[in-house]
């Protein structure tokens, strides 16, 4: 037996040495040659953490730049400060939450409702520039062309509350960034789209208030982007990423109300509508019909049936559709519809602006994040750790209750796509975020 | 806006990849455990009721056998992309074995007995907030097999045996649901039920010479049927709770058939080497379906593919009778995973396993023997995905299992 004792002892020792516990450690991450000590995020509402039709503190805390900065800080010192609001209720207007609402006929339904609790916005408009400088310079509503307006800070309450001067370019100088992300240009198209294309379809100027609902001028756009980049790259060693403009017509804001949402269930409804329209060539049948929309190019009646592919805005009043004859007896007003020509204008502008962003990324040696392609790839649905995300309104889990901005999980998906692109472009391997660690849409 | 069905049905309900290699315990006898898990050729004691019913008629007396094992599995998960690691919570499970069987004086051609043993009995619980919570939160499975057995010694060299298996067990599976209530808490689902099934275990024991022994056994597949298990949802937001009624479910979990062949060789009168091969019919585990009494999120059935592969495990062991009272055992085994890449779920992150074991038997009194064994199992680090949930990472499993038991010869 003596000859076996050493064997047993050896086995016992191996077990005692903790061999009974697995120990997995990640392979080392790398930031390549990037310097994240002074990170700046420039952008609009998407960068600020805006969601549910407003800006509020917990949303700002899970803005994608905050997620990026977490990843950067894993590789060494990386400061991050955002101009946080004091409250949760949303400022200046209350945010939306998912709740039940009762329409004028007493029907109860689940949908976005205004934040019902006590507002906690006290102190929101106090200027907090002195507590800066801020790493997150996201200003809801700001366009690329607004960087050409030295007084822009006076026009936008979100800018007013944390800018140290009215000139947005000056704000970019406060931190001389070693690394930056720039996601600008969405609002150069979005203002036109979300107002149903009632503004100018090109040539919007930063100096005209009426042009806030126009598509920006291509020249101003290029100038705005160039000016911002010049200030962001004052340090010649600065690196960064330019994020492009998603096709706004693919977001739930434009894809939740169907073009043929006029459902006629009784022959009587069909007959009376056909009688009312009998001189016009417009015909209705039982079942799903296209909505009647306003179109001033049609002589005399100024209306026509919506065509497949035309988009009805999420903001169209549901009560008016259901009970006031909108979309049938009365046309849906133009400001709630993006017709084929307007969609074309949006696509064309998006493509031109993205071309400019891409060329600037190449010229300056910056990573170019094609978030447009990424969001399109999510449309059929994407599975992540047991959760099926889609771009559908409310149930898709990616878009917040305004149908334009993202949920924290949606922002996490964006943050990971940005990190992926930075990793690829700069040969780094930065840590990504766990999408499921963040909120999706909360249900009552 | 309508009340929407929120999640695709396929993702909705807990599925269990569970009855797999990691849950098949192979702890049905301490001597065999100490020798890498093999024991088809040599009828060491009454536990041959499990390892080879044909060996029962070769026992020289009637024996009572009882043992308990303390299995402490540890699983770790790593996601290289996010840098997250997760560990299962520490837990100790106690599968047990009771056998009474052997031969009576004057009728020693006939062996008979009954075994009560736990071929599956383990579980995995992950942290509440871990990133895979929508895939699995916890799973626990237990089964008890009761096997009355008869064996007959045809000649000095050949004996045969057969037993009928009555199986009973229960399962408890939980997972988070990907819907959040107004506090941001996930919904939660639990599937809990009793299972039962039947099967058989047959074997031939061959004694070619005093030095050389062989055995062949076949344990049939046992379909464990869960009838009227409980489906319970909690924390579901009121607005959609109507889509997720508490209801009942039926499911069938096939436990695979196993064909074993073994050989034992005694080069010295006090020393035995044995080698076993188990061909395990995991292919039976093709898919896993749950049927619900009521529609859950618009569906009465979920099914997910498993596509397991048949596998052969190899087990090598040695037994040394050091003194008349003391015997020492050592063993090792290799148990390859039946789970393909793309089907590795965190409820059972299976991988190829290497097993080392040791043990001893000590005669406490004339008819009373003490058995003790310890087994160490380590899986390879396996990087794999579970495509059905788009979940992946690197896994490693380790388990240490001490066991203790007594035998008494009548």
């Amino acid at each position: 037996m003596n000859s076996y004792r050493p064997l047993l002892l050896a086995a016992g020792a191996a077990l005692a040495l903790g061999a009974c516990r697995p120990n997995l450690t990640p392979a080392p991450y790398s930031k390549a040659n990037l310097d994240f000590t002074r990170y700046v995020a420039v952008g609009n509402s998407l960068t600020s953490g805006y969601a549910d039709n407003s800006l509020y503190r917990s949303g700002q805390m899970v803005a994608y730049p905050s997620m990026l900065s977490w990843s950067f800080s894993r590789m060494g010192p990386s400061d991050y400060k955002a101009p946080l609001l004091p409250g949760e209720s949303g400022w200046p207007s209350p945010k939306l939450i998912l709740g039940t609402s009762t329409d004028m006929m007493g029907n109860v339904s689940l949908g976005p409702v205004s934040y019902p609790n006590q507002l906690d916005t006290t102190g929101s408009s106090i200027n907090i520039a002195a507590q800066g400088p801020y790493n997150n310079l996201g200003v809801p509503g700001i366009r690329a062309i607004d960087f050409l307006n030295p007084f822009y800070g006076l026009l936008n309450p979100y800018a007013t509350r944390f800018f140290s001067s009215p000139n947005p370019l000056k704000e970019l100088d406060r931190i001389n960034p070693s690394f930056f992300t720039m996601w600008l240009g969405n609002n150069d198209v979005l203002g036109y789209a979300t107002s149903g294309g009632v503004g100018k379809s090109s040539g919007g100027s930063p100096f005209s208030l009426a042009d806030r609902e126009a598509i920006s001028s291509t020249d101003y756009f290029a100038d705005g982007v160039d000016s911002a980049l010049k200030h962001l790259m004052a340090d010649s060693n600065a690196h960064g990423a330019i994020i492009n403009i998603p096709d706004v017509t693919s977001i739930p804001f434009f894809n939740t109300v169907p073009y043929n949402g006029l459902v006629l269930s009784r022959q009587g409804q069909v007959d009376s509508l056909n009688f009312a329209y009998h001189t016009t060539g417009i015909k209705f049948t039982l079942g799903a019909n296209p909505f009647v929309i306003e179109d001033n190019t049609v002589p005399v009646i100024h209306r026509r049936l919506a065509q497949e592919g035309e988009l009805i805005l999420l903001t169209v009043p549901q009560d008016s559709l259901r009970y006031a004859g909108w979309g049938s007896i009365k046309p849906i007003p133009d400001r709630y519809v993006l017709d084929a020509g307007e969609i074309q204008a949006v696509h064309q502008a998006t493509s031109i602006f993205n071309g400019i962003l891409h060329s600037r990324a190449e010229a300056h040696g910056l990573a170019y994040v094609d978030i447009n392609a990424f969001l399109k790839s999510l449309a059929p649905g994407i599975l992540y750790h047991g959760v099926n995300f889609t771009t559908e309104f409310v149930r898709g889990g990616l878009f917040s209750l305004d149908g334009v901005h993202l949920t924290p999980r949606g922002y996490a998906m964006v943050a990971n796509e940005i990190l992926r692109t930075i990793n690829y472009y700069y040969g780094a391997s930065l840590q990504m975020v766990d999408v499921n660690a963040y909120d999706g849409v909360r249900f009552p | 806006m309508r009340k929407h069905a929120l999640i695709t049905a396929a993702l909705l309900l807990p599925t269990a990849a569970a009855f797999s290699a990691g849950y098949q315990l192979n702890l049905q006898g301490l001597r065999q455990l100490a020798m890498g898990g093999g024991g088809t050729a040599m009828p060491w004691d009454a536990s041959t009721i499990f390892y080879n019913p044909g060996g029962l008629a070769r026992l020289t007396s009637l024996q009572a056998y009882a043992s308990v094992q303390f299995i402490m599995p540890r699983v770790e998960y790593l996601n290289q992309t996010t840098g997250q690691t997760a560990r299962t919570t520490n837990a100790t499970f106690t599968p047990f074995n009771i056998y009474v069987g052997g031969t009576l004086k004057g009728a020693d051609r006939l062996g008979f007995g009954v075994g009560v043993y736990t071929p599956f009995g383990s579980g995995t619980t992950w942290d509440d907030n871990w990133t895979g919570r929508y895939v699995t939160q916890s799973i626990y499975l237990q089964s008890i097999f009761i096997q009355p057995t008869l064996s007959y010694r045809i000649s000095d060299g050949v004996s045969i045996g057969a037993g009928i298996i009555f199986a009973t067990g229960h399962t408890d599976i939980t997972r988070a649901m990907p819907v959040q209530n107004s506090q941001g808490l996930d919904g939660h689902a639990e599937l809990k039920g009793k299972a039962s099934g039947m099967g058989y275990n047959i074997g031939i024991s061959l004694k070619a010479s005093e030095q050389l022994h062989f055995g062949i056994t076949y344990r049939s597949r046992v379909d464990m049927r869960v009838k009227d298990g409980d489906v319970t949802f909690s924390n579901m937001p009121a607005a959609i709770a109507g889509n997720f009624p508490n209801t009942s479910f039926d499911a069938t979990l096939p436990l695979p058939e196993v064909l074993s062949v073994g050989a034992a060789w005694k080069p010295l009168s006090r020393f035995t080497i044995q080698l076993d091969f188990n061909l395990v019919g995991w292919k039976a585990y093709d898919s896993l379906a749950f049927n619900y009494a009521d529609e859950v999120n618009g569906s009465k059935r979920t099914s997910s593919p498993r596509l397991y592969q048949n596998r052969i495990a190899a087990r090598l062991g040695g037994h040394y009778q050091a003194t008349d009272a003391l015997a020492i055992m050592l063993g090792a085994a290799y148990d390859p995973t039946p789970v393909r890449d793309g089907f590795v779920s965190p409820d059972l992150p299976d991988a190829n396993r290497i097993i080392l074991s040791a043990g001893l038997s000590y005669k406490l009194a004339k008819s009373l023997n003490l058995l003790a064994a310890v087994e160490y199992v380590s899986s390879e680090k396996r990087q794999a995905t579970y495509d059905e949930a788009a979940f992946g990472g690197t896994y490693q499993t380790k388990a240490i299992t001490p066991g203790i038991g007594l035998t008494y010869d009548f």
Side-chain angles (χ1 to χ4, degrees), chain A residues 90-419:
Chain A
W91 183 80
S93 55
K95 67 179 173 186
L96 298 171
I97 65 162
L98 201 56
T100 47
S101 56
T102 309
D103 69 17
M104 55 187 277
M105 299 299 280
N107 291 322
V108 179
S109 62
L110 179 68
V113 297
S114 195
Y115 184 73
N117 301 335
Q118 182 70 38
L119 300 185
D120 53 6
T121 52
T122 310
S124 296
S125 51
I126 295 169
N127 182 279
I128 53 169
Q131 280 94 295
Y134 295 102
N135 304 82
N136 187 329
L137 300 179
V139 177
I142 199 167
R143 297 167 295 178
I145 61 174
D146 289 324
F147 281 83
L148 300 174
N149 179 351
F151 302 106
Y152 180 78
L154 303 174
L155 304 173
N156 182 327
Y158 291 112
T160 311
R161 60 175 286 275
F162 78 90
F163 274 23
S164 53
S165 82
N167 187 343
L169 289 174
K170 286 267 173 356
E171 225 36 50
L172 307 184
D173 298 335
R174 284 193 82 191
I175 297 175
N176 181 23
S178 58
F179 190 89
F180 67 90
T181 54
M182 185 177 92
W183 195 2
L184 277 176
N186 314 66
N187 290 316
D188 296 78
V189 187
L190 189 69
Y192 172 82
T194 53
S195 54
V198 296
K200 290 196 293 186
S201 64
S202 64
S205 152
F207 308 109
S208 154
L209 282 178
D211 283 2
R212 297 211 63 84
E213 295 184 343
I215 291 178
S216 295
S217 136
T218 304
D219 290 343
Y220 279 133
F221 182 89
D223 284 354
V225 168
D226 286 337
S227 308
L229 282 173
K230 192 172 160 220
H231 283 257
L232 287 168
M233 301 192 74
D235 178 343
S236 58
N237 291 321
H239 294 291
I242 293 179
I243 302 145
N244 75 359
I245 307 169
D247 174 6
V248 295
T249 61
S250 60
I251 63 181
F253 188 85
F254 297 103
N255 290 286
T256 301
V257 183
Y259 84 99
N260 62 348
L262 175 64
V263 179
L264 302 175
S265 51
R266 286 179 294 112
Q267 191 59 42
Q269 295 172 306
V270 176
D271 293 342
S272 57
L273 278 173
N274 278 336
F275 178 73
Y277 280 94
H278 73 279
T279 58
T280 64
I282 294 176
K283 285 218 159 53
F284 299 88
T285 57
L286 272 176
N289 290 268
F291 281 121
V292 177
I293 60 170
E294 182 186 14
D295 185 344
N296 289 325
T297 64
V298 178
V300 189
I301 56 170
H302 301 306
R303 67 186 70 182
R304 63 176 172 84
L305 292 177
Q307 288 158 16
E308 188 167 2
E310 294 187 315
L311 305 171
I312 316 290
L313 276 49
L314 184 62
T315 41
V316 64
Q318 292 289 321
D319 272 7
S320 304
L321 286 184
R322 272 182 221 148
Y323 308 121
W326 279 30
S328 53
I329 306 282
K330 296 175 201 159
I332 297 177
D334 187 29
R335 66 178 180 278
Y336 295 114
V337 181
L338 267 193
D339 67 32
E342 292 161 347
I343 293 168
Q344 162 90 28
V346 167
H347 285 163
Q348 200 177 337
T350 305
S351 150
I352 291 170
F353 294 164
N354 281 343
I356 291 168
L357 293 170
H358 198 175
S359 73
R360 299 310 188 269
E362 283 185 339
H364 294 284
L366 300 167
Y368 178 68
V369 183
D370 192 352
I371 215 74
N372 183 24
F374 177 68
L375 290 178
K376 280 202 172 105
S377 77
L378 300 183
I382 185 173
L383 205 49
Y384 178 93
H385 293 193
V387 186
N388 192 22
F389 290 99
T390 71
T391 53
E392 214 174 328
F393 191 50
V394 179
R395 68 191 260 194
L398 289 172
F399 281 89
S400 76
L401 299 174
D402 56 33
V404 175
H405 300 92
L406 301 169
T407 60
R409 285 184 180 175
Y411 281 123
M413 290 267 188
V414 164
N416 281 345
E417 183 62 16
I418 295 170
L419 289 167

Side-chain angles (χ1 to χ4, degrees), chain A residues 19 29 386 409 436 439-440 443, chain B residues 76 80 131 133-134 180 376 389:
Chain A
Y29 298 93
R409 285 184 180 175
N436 286 351
D439 261 5
F443 282 76
Chain B
E76 192 160 314
Q80 175 66 33
T131 185
R133 63 192 179 277
Y134 303 120
Q180 291 172 286
Y376 170 70

Side-chain angles (χ1 to χ4, degrees), chain A residues 1 15 19 21-22 24 26-27 29 109-110 383 385-388 395 409 431-434 436 439-440 442-444, chain B residues 1 5 8 11 76 80-84 87 90 131 133-134 180-182 184 237-239 376 388-390 394 398:
Chain A
M1 125 144 231
L15 295 173
R21 188 178 254 305
L24 300 175
Y29 298 93
S109 62
L110 179 68
L383 205 49
H385 293 193
V387 186
N388 192 22
R395 68 191 260 194
R409 285 184 180 175
Q431 237 168 296
M432 304 213 184
V433 299
D434 174 15
N436 286 351
D439 261 5
R442 292 184 177 191
F443 282 76
Chain B
M1 228 158 294
T8 61
L11 283 176
E76 192 160 314
Q80 175 66 33
T81 321
T82 62
Q84 287 175 312
R87 278 182 179 158
N90 294 348
T131 185
R133 63 192 179 277
Y134 303 120
Q180 291 172 286
N181 66 17
S182 54
Y376 170 70
E388 191 180 299
T394 307
K398 291 190 179 185

